[in-house]
Protein backbone atom coordinates (compact mmCIF):
# COMPACT_ATOMS: atom_id res chain seq x y z
CA UNK A 1 0.00 0.00 0.00
CA UNK A 2 1.18 3.50 0.71
CA UNK A 3 4.39 4.81 2.23
CA UNK A 4 3.46 5.43 5.85
CA UNK A 5 5.29 8.73 6.33
CA UNK A 6 3.79 10.25 3.22
CA UNK A 7 0.33 9.02 4.09
CA UNK A 8 0.25 10.52 7.60
CA UNK A 9 1.77 13.79 6.45
CA UNK A 10 -1.04 13.97 3.93
CA UNK A 11 -3.67 13.40 6.60
CA UNK A 12 -2.19 16.12 8.77
CA UNK A 13 -2.13 18.58 5.90
CA UNK A 14 -5.68 17.75 4.91
CA UNK A 15 -6.86 18.32 8.49
CA UNK A 16 -5.24 21.74 8.54
CA UNK A 17 -7.32 22.80 5.55
CA UNK A 18 -10.41 21.06 6.91
CA UNK A 19 -10.17 18.51 4.12
CA UNK A 20 -11.08 21.15 1.54
CA UNK A 21 -7.95 20.44 -0.45
CA UNK A 22 -8.25 16.71 0.10
CA UNK A 23 -5.72 14.66 -1.77
CA UNK A 24 -4.14 17.78 -3.27
CA UNK A 25 -2.15 17.94 -0.05
CA UNK A 26 -0.61 14.59 -0.91
CA UNK A 27 0.95 15.45 -4.21
CA UNK A 28 0.20 18.80 -5.77
CA UNK A 29 0.83 17.18 -9.13
CA UNK A 30 0.04 19.05 -12.29
CA UNK A 31 -1.83 17.53 -15.16
CA UNK A 32 0.39 19.15 -17.72
CA UNK A 33 2.75 17.17 -19.81
CA UNK A 34 3.19 17.08 -23.39
CA UNK A 35 0.64 18.67 -25.69
CA UNK A 36 0.26 15.65 -26.43
CA UNK A 37 3.53 14.07 -25.74
CA UNK A 38 3.82 14.26 -22.01
CA UNK A 39 7.37 15.54 -22.17
CA UNK A 40 7.01 18.79 -20.28
CA UNK A 41 4.26 20.82 -18.71
CA UNK A 42 5.10 23.84 -20.85
CA UNK A 43 4.55 22.00 -24.10
CA UNK A 44 0.97 21.16 -23.19
CA UNK A 45 -0.33 24.63 -22.55
CA UNK A 46 -1.59 27.23 -24.95
CA UNK A 47 -3.22 30.53 -24.17
CA UNK A 48 -6.96 31.07 -24.23
CA UNK A 49 -8.23 32.22 -27.59
CA UNK A 50 -11.30 34.02 -28.88
CA UNK A 51 -10.89 32.67 -32.37
CA UNK A 52 -9.47 29.67 -34.18
CA UNK A 53 -10.15 30.87 -37.71
CA UNK A 54 -13.03 29.81 -39.90
CA UNK A 55 -14.61 26.48 -39.11
CA UNK A 56 -16.72 24.26 -41.34
CA UNK A 57 -19.89 23.09 -39.60
CA UNK A 58 -20.28 19.32 -39.60
CA UNK A 59 -23.17 16.93 -39.27
CA UNK A 60 -21.23 15.22 -36.47
CA UNK A 61 -22.34 15.57 -32.85
CA UNK A 62 -20.52 14.52 -29.72
CA UNK A 63 -22.14 12.44 -27.03
CA UNK A 64 -21.47 13.90 -23.59
CA UNK A 65 -21.29 12.46 -20.07
CA UNK A 66 -20.77 14.85 -17.15
CA UNK A 67 -19.98 14.79 -13.42
CA UNK A 68 -20.39 17.93 -11.33
CA UNK A 69 -18.46 18.84 -8.20
CA UNK A 70 -21.73 19.21 -6.27
CA UNK A 71 -22.83 15.71 -7.42
CA UNK A 72 -25.90 17.13 -9.17
CA UNK A 73 -24.72 15.10 -12.16
CA UNK A 74 -22.78 11.86 -11.76
CA UNK A 75 -21.47 10.43 -15.03
CA UNK A 76 -24.80 11.59 -16.43
CA UNK A 77 -25.61 11.47 -20.15
CA UNK A 78 -26.22 14.97 -21.53
CA UNK A 79 -27.74 16.22 -24.76
CA UNK A 80 -25.51 15.68 -27.77
CA UNK A 81 -23.26 18.62 -28.62
CA UNK A 82 -23.08 19.40 -32.37
CA UNK A 83 -19.94 20.41 -34.27
CA UNK A 84 -21.79 23.39 -35.75
CA UNK A 85 -19.52 26.36 -34.98
CA UNK A 86 -18.29 28.68 -37.71
CA UNK A 87 -15.90 30.42 -35.29
CA UNK A 88 -14.38 29.09 -32.10
CA UNK A 89 -14.70 31.21 -28.96
CA UNK A 90 -13.67 31.08 -25.34
CA UNK A 91 -10.87 28.66 -24.46
CA UNK A 92 -9.99 26.63 -27.55
CA UNK A 93 -9.17 22.95 -27.18
CA UNK A 94 -7.66 21.50 -30.33
CA UNK A 95 -7.81 17.73 -30.80
CA UNK A 96 -5.43 16.36 -33.40
CA UNK A 97 -5.84 12.66 -34.13
CA UNK A 98 -2.83 12.70 -36.45
CA UNK A 99 -0.48 13.07 -33.47
CA UNK A 100 -0.42 9.76 -31.65
CA UNK A 101 1.32 8.59 -28.49
CA UNK A 102 0.99 5.48 -26.29
CA UNK A 103 -1.45 2.63 -26.87
CA UNK A 104 -3.76 2.05 -23.92
CA UNK A 105 -4.17 -1.18 -21.95
CA UNK A 106 -7.06 -0.05 -19.77
CA UNK A 107 -8.38 1.31 -16.49
CA UNK A 108 -9.37 -0.41 -13.27
CA UNK A 109 -8.49 -1.20 -9.66
CA UNK A 110 -7.13 -3.94 -7.39
CA UNK A 111 -9.07 -7.08 -6.55
CA UNK A 112 -7.58 -7.32 -3.07
CA UNK A 113 -8.46 -10.10 -0.65
CA UNK A 114 -10.80 -7.65 1.07
CA UNK A 115 -12.57 -6.76 -2.17
CA UNK A 116 -13.00 -10.37 -3.23
CA UNK A 117 -14.18 -11.42 0.23
CA UNK A 118 -16.90 -8.76 0.32
CA UNK A 119 -18.09 -9.49 -3.20
CA UNK A 120 -18.18 -13.24 -2.59
CA UNK A 121 -19.43 -13.35 1.01
CA UNK A 122 -21.29 -10.15 1.89
CA UNK A 123 -23.60 -9.94 -1.13
CA UNK A 124 -26.40 -12.16 -2.31
CA UNK A 125 -25.79 -13.92 -5.64
CA UNK A 126 -28.14 -11.44 -7.32
CA UNK A 127 -26.38 -8.44 -5.75
CA UNK A 128 -22.98 -9.84 -6.67
CA UNK A 129 -23.94 -10.50 -10.28
CA UNK A 130 -25.43 -7.02 -10.62
CA UNK A 131 -22.33 -5.32 -9.22
CA UNK A 132 -19.88 -7.38 -11.25
CA UNK A 133 -21.85 -6.71 -14.43
CA UNK A 134 -21.90 -3.02 -13.59
CA UNK A 135 -18.16 -2.92 -12.98
CA UNK A 136 -16.91 -5.20 -15.76
CA UNK A 137 -19.70 -5.49 -18.33
CA UNK A 138 -19.56 -3.67 -21.65
CA UNK A 139 -22.62 -1.60 -20.72
CA UNK A 140 -21.15 -0.77 -17.31
CA UNK A 141 -17.77 0.67 -16.38
CA UNK A 142 -16.08 -1.96 -18.57
CA UNK A 143 -13.03 -2.09 -16.29
CA UNK A 144 -10.29 -3.71 -18.33
CA UNK A 145 -7.11 -3.54 -16.18
CA UNK A 146 -6.88 -5.24 -12.79
CA UNK A 147 -4.20 -5.79 -10.16
CA UNK A 148 -3.84 -8.75 -7.81
CA UNK A 149 -1.72 -9.14 -4.70
CA UNK A 150 0.61 -12.16 -4.67
CA UNK A 151 -0.15 -13.22 -1.13
CA UNK A 152 -1.44 -10.88 1.54
CA UNK A 153 -1.46 -7.09 1.68
CA UNK A 154 -2.81 -4.98 4.53
CA UNK A 155 -6.24 -5.63 2.98
CA UNK A 156 -6.25 -9.30 3.94
CA UNK A 157 -7.73 -10.94 7.02
CA UNK A 158 -4.55 -12.97 7.64
CA UNK A 159 -0.93 -12.44 6.65
CA UNK A 160 0.32 -15.15 4.32
CA UNK A 161 2.21 -16.02 1.15
CA UNK A 162 1.79 -19.08 -1.07
CA UNK A 163 4.73 -20.89 0.53
CA UNK A 164 4.89 -20.17 4.26
CA UNK A 165 7.12 -22.24 6.51
CA UNK A 166 7.69 -22.45 10.30
CA UNK A 167 10.34 -20.11 11.70
CA UNK A 168 13.81 -21.35 10.75
CA UNK A 169 12.55 -23.74 8.04
CA UNK A 170 13.04 -23.26 4.30
CA UNK A 171 11.52 -24.67 1.12
CA UNK A 172 13.94 -23.95 -1.75
CA UNK A 173 12.20 -26.41 -4.08
CA UNK A 174 8.77 -24.88 -3.35
CA UNK A 175 7.42 -28.27 -2.33
CA UNK A 176 4.81 -26.55 -0.14
CA UNK A 177 3.71 -23.93 -2.71
CA UNK A 178 -0.09 -23.66 -2.85
CA UNK A 179 -2.60 -21.19 -4.28
CA UNK A 180 -5.20 -22.42 -1.79
CA UNK A 181 -5.68 -18.99 -0.12
CA UNK A 182 -6.57 -17.44 -3.50
CA UNK A 183 -9.01 -20.18 -4.47
CA UNK A 184 -11.57 -19.21 -1.85
CA UNK A 185 -12.48 -15.72 -3.09
CA UNK A 186 -9.91 -14.02 -5.34
CA UNK A 187 -9.81 -16.55 -8.15
CA UNK A 188 -13.61 -17.00 -8.34
CA UNK A 189 -14.10 -13.22 -8.33
CA UNK A 190 -11.52 -12.73 -11.06
CA UNK A 191 -12.93 -15.54 -13.18
CA UNK A 192 -16.34 -13.86 -13.04
CA UNK A 193 -14.75 -10.54 -14.02
CA UNK A 194 -12.89 -12.15 -16.91
CA UNK A 195 -16.07 -13.86 -18.10
CA UNK A 196 -17.72 -10.43 -18.26
CA UNK A 197 -14.77 -8.72 -19.91
CA UNK A 198 -12.77 -10.67 -22.49
CA UNK A 199 -10.29 -7.84 -23.13
CA UNK A 200 -8.97 -7.55 -19.58
CA UNK A 201 -5.29 -7.37 -18.63
CA UNK A 202 -4.31 -8.65 -15.17
CA UNK A 203 -1.12 -7.68 -13.35
CA UNK A 204 0.13 -8.91 -9.99
CA UNK A 205 2.44 -7.66 -7.23
CA UNK A 206 3.81 -9.32 -4.07
CA UNK A 207 3.85 -7.40 -0.80
CA UNK A 208 6.51 -9.77 0.52
CA UNK A 209 8.43 -12.86 -0.41
CA UNK A 210 7.88 -15.82 1.93
CA UNK A 211 9.55 -15.05 5.24
CA UNK A 212 12.12 -17.81 4.87
CA UNK A 213 13.55 -15.95 1.87
CA UNK A 214 14.11 -12.75 3.85
CA UNK A 215 16.60 -11.30 6.30
CA UNK A 216 13.82 -11.01 8.90
CA UNK A 217 12.54 -14.60 8.47
CA UNK A 218 9.14 -12.89 8.60
CA UNK A 219 6.59 -11.30 6.28
CA UNK A 220 7.01 -8.12 8.33
CA UNK A 221 10.00 -5.95 7.36
CA UNK A 222 13.30 -7.31 6.12
CA UNK A 223 14.98 -7.56 2.73
CA UNK A 224 15.27 -10.34 0.16
CA UNK A 225 18.30 -12.52 0.80
CA UNK A 226 20.58 -12.77 -2.26
CA UNK A 227 20.63 -16.54 -1.73
CA UNK A 228 16.85 -16.50 -2.25
CA UNK A 229 16.91 -14.74 -5.64
CA UNK A 230 16.56 -18.06 -7.45
CA UNK A 231 13.76 -19.47 -5.26
CA UNK A 232 11.85 -16.17 -5.32
CA UNK A 233 12.04 -16.08 -9.11
CA UNK A 234 10.77 -19.67 -9.16
CA UNK A 235 7.98 -18.63 -6.77
CA UNK A 236 6.80 -15.85 -9.11
CA UNK A 237 7.04 -18.10 -12.17
CA UNK A 238 5.04 -20.77 -10.35
CA UNK A 239 2.41 -18.21 -9.39
CA UNK A 240 1.97 -17.12 -13.00
CA UNK A 241 1.79 -20.69 -14.23
CA UNK A 242 -0.75 -21.87 -11.66
CA UNK A 243 -2.93 -18.78 -11.95
CA UNK A 244 -3.05 -19.42 -15.68
CA UNK A 245 -4.09 -23.00 -15.01
CA UNK A 246 -6.87 -21.64 -12.77
CA UNK A 247 -8.14 -19.44 -15.59
CA UNK A 248 -6.62 -16.12 -14.52
CA UNK A 249 -3.85 -15.18 -16.99
CA UNK A 250 -1.23 -12.85 -15.52
CA UNK A 251 0.25 -10.53 -18.14
CA UNK A 252 2.37 -8.22 -15.97
CA UNK A 253 4.43 -8.58 -12.80
CA UNK A 254 6.13 -6.25 -10.42
CA UNK A 255 8.60 -7.95 -8.11
CA UNK A 256 7.66 -5.92 -5.02
CA UNK A 257 4.99 -3.43 -4.00
CA UNK A 258 6.63 -0.22 -2.74
CA UNK A 259 10.15 -1.69 -2.42
CA UNK A 260 11.49 1.27 -0.44
CA UNK A 261 8.96 0.93 2.39
CA UNK A 262 8.99 -1.61 5.23
CA UNK A 263 5.69 -1.37 7.15
CA UNK A 264 5.73 -2.59 10.73
CA UNK A 265 2.30 -4.24 10.88
CA UNK A 266 1.65 -5.85 7.49
CA UNK A 267 3.73 -7.60 4.82
CA UNK A 268 6.45 -5.58 3.14
CA UNK A 269 10.02 -5.93 1.93
CA UNK A 270 12.90 -3.60 1.17
CA UNK A 271 14.45 -4.24 -2.24
CA UNK A 272 17.00 -1.67 -3.38
CA UNK A 273 17.40 -0.69 -7.00
CA UNK A 274 20.67 -2.63 -7.21
CA UNK A 275 19.00 -5.73 -5.77
CA UNK A 276 16.05 -5.44 -8.15
CA UNK A 277 18.39 -5.12 -11.12
CA UNK A 278 20.37 -8.20 -10.03
CA UNK A 279 17.17 -10.17 -9.40
CA UNK A 280 15.51 -9.23 -12.70
CA UNK A 281 18.58 -9.56 -14.89
CA UNK A 282 20.02 -12.68 -13.32
CA UNK A 283 16.93 -14.61 -12.29
CA UNK A 284 13.34 -13.48 -12.93
CA UNK A 285 13.80 -12.31 -16.52
CA UNK A 286 15.65 -15.42 -17.73
CA UNK A 287 13.33 -17.80 -15.85
CA UNK A 288 10.15 -16.25 -17.28
CA UNK A 289 11.69 -16.49 -20.74
CA UNK A 290 12.82 -20.08 -20.19
CA UNK A 291 9.31 -21.02 -19.06
CA UNK A 292 7.87 -19.51 -22.25
CA UNK A 293 5.70 -17.06 -20.31
CA UNK A 294 4.59 -13.89 -22.07
CA UNK A 295 4.68 -11.71 -18.97
CA UNK A 296 5.92 -8.13 -18.80
CA UNK A 297 8.13 -7.15 -15.88
CA UNK A 298 7.44 -3.67 -14.49
CA UNK A 299 9.91 -2.11 -12.08
CA UNK A 300 9.38 0.27 -9.16
CA UNK A 301 5.65 0.07 -8.19
CA UNK A 302 6.28 3.05 -5.93
CA UNK A 303 5.92 6.81 -5.72
CA UNK A 304 6.60 9.64 -8.15
CA UNK A 305 9.21 11.17 -5.80
CA UNK A 306 11.51 8.13 -6.13
CA UNK A 307 12.19 8.38 -9.87
CA UNK A 308 15.93 7.80 -9.41
CA UNK A 309 15.17 4.23 -8.32
CA UNK A 310 13.63 2.86 -11.55
CA UNK A 311 16.14 4.93 -13.49
CA UNK A 312 18.94 3.02 -11.77
CA UNK A 313 17.35 -0.32 -12.67
CA UNK A 314 16.86 0.71 -16.29
CA UNK A 315 20.49 1.85 -16.43
CA UNK A 316 21.63 -1.69 -15.64
CA UNK A 317 22.60 -3.31 -18.97
CA UNK A 318 21.70 -6.83 -17.83
CA UNK A 319 18.32 -5.99 -16.28
CA UNK A 320 17.20 -3.44 -18.89
CA UNK A 321 16.23 -5.88 -21.68
CA UNK A 322 13.90 -7.73 -19.31
CA UNK A 323 12.11 -4.61 -17.98
CA UNK A 324 9.08 -3.63 -20.05
CA UNK A 325 8.24 -0.50 -18.08
CA UNK A 326 7.79 1.35 -14.82
CA UNK A 327 4.84 1.26 -12.41
CA UNK A 328 3.98 4.38 -10.40
CA UNK A 329 2.05 5.33 -7.22
CA UNK A 330 0.66 8.72 -6.20
CA UNK A 331 1.66 9.13 -2.55
CA UNK A 332 4.66 11.38 -3.04
CA UNK A 333 6.06 13.67 -5.72
CA UNK A 334 4.59 14.86 -9.00
CA UNK A 335 3.10 12.97 -11.93
CA UNK A 336 5.64 14.59 -14.25
CA UNK A 337 8.20 12.08 -12.92
CA UNK A 338 6.63 9.57 -15.31
CA UNK A 339 7.71 11.71 -18.26
CA UNK A 340 11.17 12.27 -16.78
CA UNK A 341 11.86 8.54 -16.79
CA UNK A 342 10.05 7.94 -20.06
CA UNK A 343 12.06 10.65 -21.82
CA UNK A 344 15.29 9.00 -20.63
CA UNK A 345 14.08 5.52 -21.65
CA UNK A 346 11.46 6.10 -24.39
CA UNK A 347 11.16 2.42 -25.28
CA UNK A 348 9.95 1.59 -21.77
CA UNK A 349 6.26 1.79 -20.90
CA UNK A 350 4.66 3.61 -17.99
CA UNK A 351 1.74 2.37 -15.91
CA UNK A 352 -0.02 4.01 -13.01
CA UNK A 353 -0.73 1.18 -10.55
CA UNK A 354 -1.97 2.54 -7.22
CA UNK A 355 -3.66 5.45 -5.47
CA UNK A 356 -6.27 5.38 -2.73
CA UNK A 357 -8.79 7.87 -1.50
CA UNK A 358 -10.06 7.69 2.05
CA UNK A 359 -11.69 9.36 5.03
CA UNK A 360 -9.00 12.05 4.95
CA UNK A 361 -10.31 13.10 1.53
CA UNK A 362 -14.04 13.01 2.07
CA UNK A 363 -15.21 16.13 0.21
CA UNK A 364 -16.41 14.95 -3.21
CA UNK A 365 -15.74 18.05 -5.31
CA UNK A 366 -12.06 18.84 -4.67
CA UNK A 367 -11.04 15.21 -4.39
CA UNK A 368 -12.83 14.17 -7.57
CA UNK A 369 -11.07 17.09 -9.25
CA UNK A 370 -7.69 16.05 -7.87
CA UNK A 371 -8.07 12.50 -9.08
CA UNK A 372 -9.27 13.57 -12.52
CA UNK A 373 -6.42 16.07 -12.88
CA UNK A 374 -3.58 13.92 -11.58
CA UNK A 375 -4.55 10.28 -12.02
CA UNK A 376 -6.92 10.14 -14.99
CA UNK A 377 -5.67 13.06 -17.10
CA UNK A 378 -2.22 13.64 -15.62
CA UNK A 379 -0.91 10.08 -15.60
CA UNK A 380 -2.09 9.36 -19.14
CA UNK A 381 -0.67 12.63 -20.47
CA UNK A 382 2.55 11.50 -18.83
CA UNK A 383 2.58 8.24 -20.82
CA UNK A 384 0.65 5.81 -18.60
CA UNK A 385 -0.76 2.99 -20.73
CA UNK A 386 -3.01 1.88 -17.87
CA UNK A 387 -4.42 3.40 -14.70
CA UNK A 388 -5.24 1.43 -11.54
CA UNK A 389 -6.78 2.66 -8.32
CA UNK A 390 -6.36 0.68 -5.09
CA UNK A 391 -9.15 -1.42 -3.51
CA UNK A 392 -12.01 -2.17 -5.85
CA UNK A 393 -14.36 -2.58 -2.88
CA UNK A 394 -14.22 -2.07 0.89
CA UNK A 395 -16.90 -2.13 3.56
CA UNK A 396 -18.50 0.63 5.62
CA UNK A 397 -15.62 0.55 8.14
CA UNK A 398 -12.88 0.75 5.46
CA UNK A 399 -12.07 -2.93 5.73
CA UNK A 400 -11.55 -5.73 6.20
CA UNK A 401 -7.86 -5.10 6.78
CA UNK A 402 -5.08 -6.30 9.06
CA UNK A 403 -2.60 -3.53 9.82
CA UNK A 404 -1.88 -0.73 7.39
CA UNK A 405 -4.51 1.74 6.28
CA UNK A 406 -7.52 1.99 8.56
CA UNK A 407 -9.46 4.61 6.60
CA UNK A 408 -8.88 3.85 2.91
CA UNK A 409 -11.88 4.03 0.60
CA UNK A 410 -12.74 1.55 -2.14
CA UNK A 411 -13.98 2.40 -5.61
CA UNK A 412 -17.28 1.16 -4.20
CA UNK A 413 -18.38 0.56 -0.61
CA UNK A 414 -20.24 -2.69 0.10
CA UNK A 415 -22.31 -2.70 3.28
CA UNK A 416 -21.21 -5.85 5.08
CA UNK A 417 -24.67 -6.42 6.59
CA UNK A 418 -26.94 -5.68 3.64
CA UNK A 419 -24.75 -5.99 0.56
CA UNK A 420 -25.90 -2.58 -0.61
CA UNK A 421 -23.45 -0.65 -2.78
CA UNK A 422 -22.29 2.97 -2.53
CA UNK A 423 -20.48 4.35 -5.56
CA UNK A 424 -17.62 6.58 -4.46
CA UNK A 425 -15.89 9.41 -6.29
CA UNK A 426 -13.28 6.94 -7.57
CA UNK A 427 -16.09 5.10 -9.39
CA UNK A 428 -16.97 8.21 -11.35
CA UNK A 429 -13.36 9.18 -12.03
CA UNK A 430 -12.67 5.73 -13.50
CA UNK A 431 -15.97 5.71 -15.38
CA UNK A 432 -15.09 8.87 -17.28
CA UNK A 433 -12.40 6.88 -19.09
CA UNK A 434 -13.09 3.15 -18.75
CA UNK A 435 -16.52 3.36 -20.41
CA UNK A 436 -15.23 5.26 -23.43
CA UNK A 437 -11.53 4.50 -23.94
CA UNK A 438 -11.00 0.88 -24.83
CA UNK A 439 -7.89 -1.32 -24.87
CA UNK A 440 -5.97 -0.61 -28.05
CA UNK A 441 -6.96 3.06 -28.12
CA UNK A 442 -4.11 5.50 -28.73
CA UNK A 443 -3.65 8.76 -26.94
CA UNK A 444 -3.78 11.70 -29.35
CA UNK A 445 -2.92 15.36 -29.08
CA UNK A 446 -5.03 17.83 -27.11
CA UNK A 447 -4.04 21.01 -25.30
CA UNK A 448 -4.71 21.97 -21.68
CA UNK A 449 -5.22 25.69 -21.20
CA UNK A 450 -7.33 28.33 -19.50
CA UNK A 451 -7.82 26.18 -16.42
CA UNK A 452 -9.15 23.27 -18.48
CA UNK A 453 -7.23 20.01 -18.17
CA UNK A 454 -7.66 17.60 -21.08
CA UNK A 455 -6.60 14.29 -22.55
CA UNK A 456 -7.81 12.70 -25.79
CA UNK A 457 -7.80 9.24 -27.38
CA UNK A 458 -8.71 7.47 -30.60
CA UNK A 459 -10.34 4.06 -30.28
CA UNK A 460 -9.72 1.24 -32.71
CA UNK A 461 -13.14 1.83 -34.30
CA UNK A 462 -12.19 5.42 -35.14
CA UNK A 463 -14.20 6.99 -32.33
CA UNK A 464 -12.51 9.93 -30.59
CA UNK A 465 -12.83 10.55 -26.86
CA UNK A 466 -11.93 13.78 -25.09
CA UNK A 467 -11.89 14.15 -21.30
CA UNK A 468 -12.11 17.71 -19.95
CA UNK A 469 -11.86 18.89 -16.33
CA UNK A 470 -12.75 22.48 -15.46
CA UNK A 471 -10.23 23.20 -12.70
CA UNK A 472 -11.41 26.80 -12.46
CA UNK A 473 -13.56 28.20 -9.65
CA UNK A 474 -16.15 29.50 -12.12
CA UNK A 475 -18.04 28.00 -15.05
CA UNK A 476 -15.91 28.05 -18.20
CA UNK A 477 -16.99 28.16 -21.84
CA UNK A 478 -14.79 26.52 -24.44
CA UNK A 479 -14.65 25.31 -28.00
CA UNK A 480 -13.42 21.93 -29.16
CA UNK A 481 -11.84 22.04 -32.61
CA UNK A 482 -11.15 18.82 -34.51
CA UNK A 483 -10.73 18.12 -38.24
CA UNK A 484 -11.71 21.68 -39.14
CA UNK A 485 -15.02 21.62 -37.24
CA UNK A 486 -15.89 23.06 -33.86
CA UNK A 487 -18.21 22.38 -30.93
CA UNK A 488 -19.06 24.71 -28.04
CA UNK A 489 -19.66 23.69 -24.43
CA UNK A 490 -19.68 25.15 -20.92
CA UNK A 491 -18.62 23.22 -17.81
CA UNK A 492 -19.43 24.30 -14.24
CA UNK A 493 -16.56 24.87 -11.82
CA UNK A 494 -14.93 21.57 -10.82
CA UNK A 495 -16.94 19.52 -13.31
CA UNK A 496 -15.58 16.92 -15.74
CA UNK A 497 -17.02 15.68 -19.00
CA UNK A 498 -16.19 13.00 -21.52
CA UNK A 499 -17.04 13.73 -25.16
CA UNK A 500 -17.11 11.01 -27.80
CA UNK A 501 -17.64 11.36 -31.52
CA UNK A 502 -16.74 9.72 -34.80
CA UNK A 503 -15.41 12.19 -37.41
Amino acid sequence: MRTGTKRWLCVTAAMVVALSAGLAACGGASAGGGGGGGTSSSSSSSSSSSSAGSLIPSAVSAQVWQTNADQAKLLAKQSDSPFNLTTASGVVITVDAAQTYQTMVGFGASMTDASAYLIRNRMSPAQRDALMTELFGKDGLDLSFMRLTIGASDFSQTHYTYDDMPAGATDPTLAHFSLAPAKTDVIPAMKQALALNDHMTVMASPWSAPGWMKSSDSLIKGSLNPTAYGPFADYLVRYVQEMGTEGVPIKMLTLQNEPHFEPDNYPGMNVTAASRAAFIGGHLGPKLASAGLDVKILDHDHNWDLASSPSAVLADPVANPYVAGVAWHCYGGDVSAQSTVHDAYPTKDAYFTECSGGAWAADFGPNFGWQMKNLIIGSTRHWAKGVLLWNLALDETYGPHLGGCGDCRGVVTINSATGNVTRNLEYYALGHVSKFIKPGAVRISSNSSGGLETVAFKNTDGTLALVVLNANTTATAFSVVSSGSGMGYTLPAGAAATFTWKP
Side-chain angles (χ1 to χ4, degrees):
M1 235 288 293
R2 295 158 305 150
T3 300
T5 302
K6 289 290 180 184
R7 188 262 188 272
W8 298 117
L9 284 175
C10 292
V11 173
T12 303
M15 291 171 63
V16 169
V17 296
L19 297 179
S20 63
L23 277 172
C26 300
S30 114
T39 55
S40 69
S41 58
S42 61
S43 67
S44 71
S45 61
S46 63
S47 59
S48 298
S49 171
S50 60
S51 176
S54 298
L55 298 172
I56 301 173
S58 166
V60 172
S61 290
Q63 295 186 321
V64 187
W65 288 262
Q66 184 172 317
T67 296
N68 290 5
D70 63 2
Q71 303 181 68
K73 296 177 180 178
L74 293 170
L75 200 57
K77 181 74 165 61
Q78 307 299 291
S79 298
D80 289 359
S81 185
F83 278 83
N84 61 359
L85 299 180
T86 56
T87 303
S89 61
V91 179
V92 177
I93 298 169
T94 302
V95 177
D96 184 0
Q99 295 187 48
T100 60
Y101 305 96
Q102 76 270 26
T103 300
M104 301 304 295
V105 167
F107 303 87
S110 291
M111 183 68 80
T112 57
D113 289 350
S115 300
Y117 169 78
L118 291 168
I119 291 168
R120 300 291 300 175
N121 299 280
R122 288 294 179 261
M123 307 187 84
S124 69
Q127 288 175 317
R128 176 171 61 246
D129 291 347
L131 176 62
M132 294 293 281
T133 300
E134 180 180 344
L135 292 173
F136 297 103
K138 290 179 173 57
D139 295 326
L141 289 197
D142 198 16
L143 299 180
S144 56
F145 188 29
M146 294 296 291
R147 185 185 186 210
L148 300 180
T149 69
I150 304 176
S153 70
D154 45 333
F155 286 91
S156 301
Q157 296 184 76
T158 61
H159 292 162
Y160 68 92
T161 70
Y162 296 123
D163 195 349
D164 292 322
M165 298 294 291
T170 63
D171 183 23
T173 64
L174 306 185
H176 298 280
F177 183 97
S178 173
L179 283 183
K183 293 180 180 180
T184 303
D185 296 317
V186 170
I187 289 174
M190 283 306 302
K191 289 178 72 172
Q192 183 175 9
L194 287 159
L196 289 162
N197 190 317
D198 60 5
H199 50 272
M200 183 185 297
T201 297
V202 183
M203 70 166 289
S205 308
W207 264 237
S208 175
W212 55 269
M213 299 185 187
K214 298 170 60 183
S215 61
S216 61
D217 194 21
S218 169
L219 302 188
I220 310 298
K221 293 193 170 184
S223 58
L224 183 64
N225 292 325
T227 55
Y229 286 2
F232 189 44
D234 292 336
Y235 174 87
L236 295 177
V237 168
R238 182 85 168 267
Y239 170 80
V240 172
Q241 290 172 325
E242 294 203 11
M243 287 294 282
T245 299
E246 292 293 331
V248 182
I250 305 298
K251 293 300 183 182
M252 299 180 192
L253 279 176
T254 63
L255 66 94
Q256 174 60 37
N257 174 73
E258 298 187 348
H260 297 289
F261 178 46
E262 296 177 72
D264 60 9
N265 62 2
Y266 67 94
M269 184 169 69
N270 180 279
V271 192
T272 66
S275 296
R276 298 199 310 275
F279 176 71
I280 293 169
H283 300 274
L284 181 60
K287 288 191 175 188
L288 285 170
S290 178
L293 295 172
D294 182 18
V295 179
K296 293 181 178 180
I297 299 173
L298 306 181
D299 184 54
H300 193 47
D301 218 5
H302 211 160
N303 294 336
W304 292 320
D305 60 351
L306 299 168
S308 62
S309 183
S311 295
V313 173
L314 292 173
D316 184 278
V318 179
N320 179 287
Y322 293 110
V323 179
V326 179
W328 299 94
H329 296 185
C330 75
Y331 309 113
D334 188 277
V335 66
S336 60
Q338 296 179 188
S339 283
T340 300
V341 175
H342 180 272
D343 291 349
Y345 298 94
T347 63
K348 303 302 182 181
D349 297 332
Y351 291 87
F352 184 81
T353 55
E354 188 185 306
C355 196
S356 182
W360 68 91
D363 192 355
F364 184 97
N367 291 292
F368 172 77
W370 189 92
Q371 292 198 14
M372 290 297 299
K373 178 179 179 179
N374 292 281
L375 310 184
I376 303 302
I377 296 173
S379 73
T380 52
R381 287 186 71 86
H382 288 285
W383 296 103
K385 299 181 73 172
V387 177
L388 291 165
L389 301 185
W390 186 207
N391 289 275
L392 179 66
L394 292 176
D395 68 17
E396 70 280 7
T397 61
Y398 309 106
H401 71 97
L402 182 58
C405 184
D407 56 357
C408 282
R409 181 174 56 230
V411 173
V412 298
T413 298
I414 296 174
N415 186 287
S416 60
T418 66
N420 292 336
V421 175
T422 301
R423 294 152 191 82
N424 298 318
L425 66 92
E426 291 78 9
Y427 174 99
Y428 299 105
L430 279 176
H432 268 283
V433 281
S434 64
K435 284 177 66 70
F436 312 107
I437 296 134
K438 304 304 182 181
V442 293
R443 183 169 66 90
I444 59 177
S445 176
S446 67
N447 59 296
S448 294
S449 62
L452 300 178
E453 308 288 348
T454 80
V455 68
F457 303 87
K458 182 178 181 179
N459 284 305
T460 56
D461 67 357
T463 302
L464 304 187
L466 171 69
V467 183
V468 181
L469 169 72
N470 179 11
N472 295 311
T473 57
T474 58
T476 301
F478 57 93
S479 300
V480 176
V481 176
S482 178
S483 301
S485 298
M487 169 193 72
Y489 203 81
T490 299
L491 270 177
T498 301
F499 303 86
T500 66
W501 70 96
K502 193 165 188 178

